[in-house]
Amino acid sequence: MPTKATCMRHTEAPGQLEARMLKGRLPGANKDLLPSPGALPTPHRQDPEKNPVPSFSDPAKISSEDPQARAKPTTPQPPTRPRLERTLSLDDKGWRRRRFPRSQEDLATQGGASPYKGSEQDMAPPGPGPQLPSTLPEHIFHLPGVAAQGGCPSWELPEAGHPPGPQPRSPLACDTHSLHSAKSFFSLLAPIRTKDVRSRSYLEGSLLASGALLGADELTQYFPDRNMALFVATWNMQGQKELPPSLDEFLLPTEADYTQDLYVIGVQEGCSDRREWETRLQETLGPRYVLLSSAAHGVLYVSLFIRRDLIWFCSEVECSTVTTRIVSQIKTKGALGVSFTFFGTSFLFITSHFTSGDGKVAERLLDYTRTIQALALPRNVPDTNPYRSSAADVTTRFDEVFWFGDFNFRLSGGRMAVEAILKQGLDVDVPALLQHDQLIQEMKKGSIFKGFQEPDIHFLPSYKFDIGKDTYDSTSKQRTPSYTDRVLYRSRHKGDICPVKYSSCPGIKTSDHRPVYGLFRVKVRPGRDNIPLAAGKFDRELYLIGIKRRISKEIQKQQAMKNQNPSTICTIS
């Protein structure tokens, strides 16, 4: 049975207990902290000998001294449950009181002094919302296993007065590969709700627009300008078992200031050890990338490497193959298509090896027609815009399409005419060569690659070289140098694909073809979580092998440098 004192305690209105505790400590407490009618009086805290406080355990004294102070009999009520709140550390509280400049403010300041050049003590002007520092803390960009890795950063600090363009990806002061670490910083601002974690399966996600895994909020955190960097390359390896000692020129060309978000490599007449080829790709790209998917059709290979923090936003990867002509049990002419959806944008990558021969243009046109009709994609992943799709052309069923490979279209006019132009040295008239290009002529007629475009060509023909040399075919066949290796693109929305660089790799000489690559900026749109996701799958075994090999080579390189710089011993005579 609860005592009367307990009953009295529960009859107090909210805040009266605090008023009694504070009364007598603050000046003017008698005026400011007045009890509500019917509440118990709260005497000042004075000397108990001069003004003794009546004991609540003695009801007789209360009734005799002040009849109005009698407590009305009430039913005991359980105490109010405390409200559970997230406890913030001092650091968290400090971050919440600061403000992080928005992208619009950063663009406005690019013409003047960059706000990122100040110290971390500099604060942005007060404004609505949580206030954050104008410079992200240093530790965000130095996570274990990230900062010590090789490769060029994809995002840089915007320089003062930097002209607008595709070079700096975002005003956020972080590189592309450290955004997943910056997300942990942003999580302090918007704690993840328990119900969101429960409803998100990472297999198909939630159809709710708020907090969608593939939605606009998530997309903006990774790509503030909604543009991703894409690398697409093609190489006819001529079936050579020997791989180049280094693939840096191929995958990490010096012309590219930043590494890309997605690498797609297509190979024709690939080497016999496909696993070794993929391991070399992983070793070159380093630990920031993982093999999302790989497929093969005979000696046609396609490998997709993506930034490891982006694997959660990819759908299942689907592939399909087409055989146009069987050369042997291993070698085939045909096509290999790979498709998937990234956020709300669907991609299709096709690598092909068309019929060879200077005069077999009609056969190559037939190879193209068979490919667009026979590639059965997509399968389980829904079309992002089925109203603009055609059952007779696979390239109409995707938002962004890249078609690359050894198309075998040649330069007409004979070898003598082509060599006369090539002998001009460094000032080779490439437009004059392209006037004889069979592929450009057929595209103008509309007989092949309808709706496709090709970046401007500024490099020399990629075929046919003597292996290990820079000279074109010196055998008795005297094949005409040609642009057989190409990268083409098509988009449902005009302007979604912007070519940045289109070139070849003259330093890789292990085949009679030179690799050809293209760098692109592709617009990505938010999507809905109604697609089957890849659930973060990647080739973990290949990842570990490639990284271990990279580390061992780095150790050997450092050891070699130590051996080349022996310590100097000074002798005194």
Side-chain angles (χ1 to χ4, degrees):
M1 178 94 181
T3 63
K4 189 171 183 180
T6 306
C7 299
M8 293 178 182
R9 188 182 308 121
H10 295 310
T11 60
E12 291 178 342
Q16 278 193 336
L17 180 59
E18 290 83 349
R20 288 197 300 104
M21 295 174 63
L22 295 176
K23 192 172 183 181
R25 298 184 187 180
L26 302 177
N30 292 330
K31 299 179 181 180
D32 300 335
L33 302 176
L34 295 177
S36 59
L40 292 175
T42 308
H44 291 284
R45 295 187 62 183
Q46 298 176 354
D47 190 346
E49 296 180 357
K50 297 180 181 180
N51 189 11
V53 179
S55 174
F56 291 128
S57 62
D58 193 351
K61 293 182 179 181
I62 298 178
S63 60
S64 62
E65 294 178 4
D66 190 359
Q68 297 180 357
R70 291 200 187 105
K72 297 179 181 179
T74 57
T75 305
Q77 298 292 335
T80 305
R81 296 182 60 185
R83 181 181 178 183
L84 297 179
E85 296 183 354
R86 179 173 178 264
T87 303
L88 297 178
S89 65
L90 293 178
D91 293 339
D92 292 347
K93 294 178 180 178
W95 286 120
R96 286 179 178 274
R97 286 194 300 268
R98 300 178 184 180
R99 182 172 177 271
F100 191 57
R102 303 187 184 94
S103 58
Q104 291 84 352
E105 299 170 356
D106 296 323
L107 294 177
T109 57
Q110 281 187 4
S114 174
Y116 302 98
K117 299 302 181 182
S119 64
E120 294 188 9
Q121 302 296 331
D122 297 336
M123 302 294 293
Q131 298 194 6
L132 301 174
S134 59
T135 307
L136 290 178
E138 184 73 15
H139 69 273
I140 288 183
F141 314 108
H142 297 281
L143 293 186
V146 176
Q149 299 157 5
C152 301
S154 293
W155 289 16
E156 295 290 341
L157 288 172
E159 296 294 335
H162 195 289
Q167 292 81 6
R169 182 77 62 79
S170 165
L172 291 178
C174 55
D175 60 48
T176 307
H177 312 291
S178 296
L179 258 186
H180 67 285
S181 58
K183 274 180 65 59
S184 62
F185 164 77
F186 287 120
S187 64
L188 295 176
L189 309 181
I192 300 176
R193 297 178 180 272
T194 306
K195 63 179 182 180
D196 293 340
V197 178
R198 290 191 176 191
S199 62
R200 182 176 294 182
S201 66
Y202 292 94
L203 294 176
E204 291 187 357
S206 171
L207 292 178
L208 299 177
S210 178
L213 179 65
L214 307 179
D217 295 341
E218 201 82 17
L219 175 61
T220 303
Q221 290 189 21
Y222 283 86
F223 302 99
D225 57 355
R226 295 195 176 182
N227 281 292
M228 68 176 297
L230 175 64
F231 174 95
V232 180
T234 177
W235 186 23
N236 187 321
M237 301 178 67
Q238 201 188 12
Q240 296 292 332
K241 296 182 179 180
E242 179 184 358
L243 295 176
S246 174
L247 295 177
D248 288 351
E249 181 185 356
F250 182 35
L251 299 176
L252 305 170
T254 56
E255 294 86 355
D257 295 332
Y258 310 101
T259 54
Q260 312 304 302
D261 302 311
L262 177 65
Y263 285 80
V264 183
I265 302 100
V267 168
Q268 308 82 42
E269 298 185 23
C271 61
S272 56
D273 193 348
R274 173 187 162 202
R275 191 64 173 176
E276 175 63 20
W277 165 245
E278 293 173 350
T279 303
R280 290 291 305 278
L281 295 175
Q282 177 71 76
E283 176 189 349
T284 304
L285 292 176
R288 294 176 176 173
Y289 296 89
V290 295
L291 180 62
L292 176 65
S293 178
S294 65
H297 179 51
V299 287
L300 288 174
Y301 305 156
V302 170
S303 304
L304 274 66
F305 285 85
I306 193 170
R307 265 175 42 202
R308 64 184 184 186
D309 57 328
L310 299 177
I311 56 178
W312 299 103
F313 311 105
C314 301
S315 72
E316 292 179 350
V317 182
E318 301 175 322
C319 66
S320 180
T321 61
V322 175
T323 300
T324 57
R325 188 168 67 91
I326 300 177
V327 180
S328 64
Q329 293 182 350
I330 300 178
K331 286 188 176 183
T332 60
K333 292 292 194 297
L336 171 61
V338 176
S339 66
F340 72 101
T341 297
F342 184 66
F343 281 97
T345 302
S346 58
F347 287 85
L348 173 63
F349 300 96
I350 306 175
T351 184
S352 294
H353 195 183
F354 290 168
T355 302
S356 60
D358 289 355
K360 295 185 178 181
V361 177
E363 286 82 351
R364 290 190 275 273
L365 298 179
L366 185 59
D367 293 343
Y368 164 78
T369 303
R370 289 177 179 175
T371 300
I372 62 175
Q373 294 177 351
L375 278 181
L377 292 172
R379 291 194 179 95
N380 300 323
V381 180
D383 190 346
T384 57
N385 195 342
Y387 300 102
R388 303 181 64 177
S389 301
S390 171
D393 188 349
V394 67
T395 63
T396 64
R397 303 173 209 153
F398 296 87
D399 296 321
E400 321 296 345
V401 182
F402 292 86
W403 200 328
F404 47 99
D406 182 2
F407 299 148
N408 264 318
F409 285 96
R410 311 299 174 92
L411 293 178
S412 58
R415 169 137 185 178
M416 296 291 293
V418 173
E419 280 191 338
I421 300 176
L422 292 176
K423 288 181 179 179
Q424 297 176 1
L426 298 177
D427 300 328
V428 175
D429 191 358
V430 174
L433 291 174
L434 296 178
Q435 291 179 0
H436 304 281
D437 184 72
Q438 295 176 347
L439 177 58
I440 293 179
Q441 295 172 359
E442 295 300 325
M443 289 181 67
K444 289 181 178 179
K445 296 178 183 178
S447 56
I448 192 173
F449 293 119
K450 298 177 182 179
F452 280 84
Q453 303 178 62
E454 183 179 22
D456 295 336
I457 298 177
H458 299 287
F459 53 91
L460 298 179
S462 59
Y463 172 86
K464 172 181 186 348
F465 287 90
D466 293 334
I467 295 180
K469 300 179 181 179
D470 291 325
T471 58
Y472 289 100
D473 187 16
S474 60
T475 64
S476 58
K477 293 185 178 182
Q478 291 286 300
R479 293 182 178 87
T480 303
S482 302
Y483 294 97
T484 58
D485 309 281
R486 315 288 274 268
V487 178
L488 309 179
Y489 63 92
R490 170 179 176 168
S491 177
R492 272 178 174 169
H493 308 278
K494 185 177 180 181
D496 273 10
I497 301 177
C498 176
V500 177
K501 182 70 177 179
Y502 190 37
S503 185
S504 64
C505 302
I508 297 181
K509 307 175 184 180
T510 56
S511 170
D512 58 351
H513 290 254
R514 296 290 187 261
V516 173
Y517 67 90
L519 304 179
F520 302 89
R521 301 269 294 173
V522 184
K523 186 176 183 62
V524 181
R525 290 176 169 80
R528 298 182 63 192
D529 292 357
N530 61 344
I531 62 175
L533 300 179
K537 296 178 182 177
F538 67 96
D539 196 327
R540 181 176 181 273
E541 180 183 359
L542 180 76
Y543 180 84
L544 295 177
I545 295 175
I547 301 311
K548 289 179 181 178
R549 187 181 296 185
R550 183 185 180 100
I551 293 174
S552 62
K553 286 188 175 181
E554 185 65 25
I555 294 176
Q556 294 176 3
K557 184 188 300 184
Q558 293 179 0
Q559 189 63 36
M561 293 178 61
K562 290 181 180 180
N563 296 337
Q564 292 178 359
N565 299 319
S567 59
T568 305
I569 301 177
C570 300
T571 59
I572 301 176
S573 57

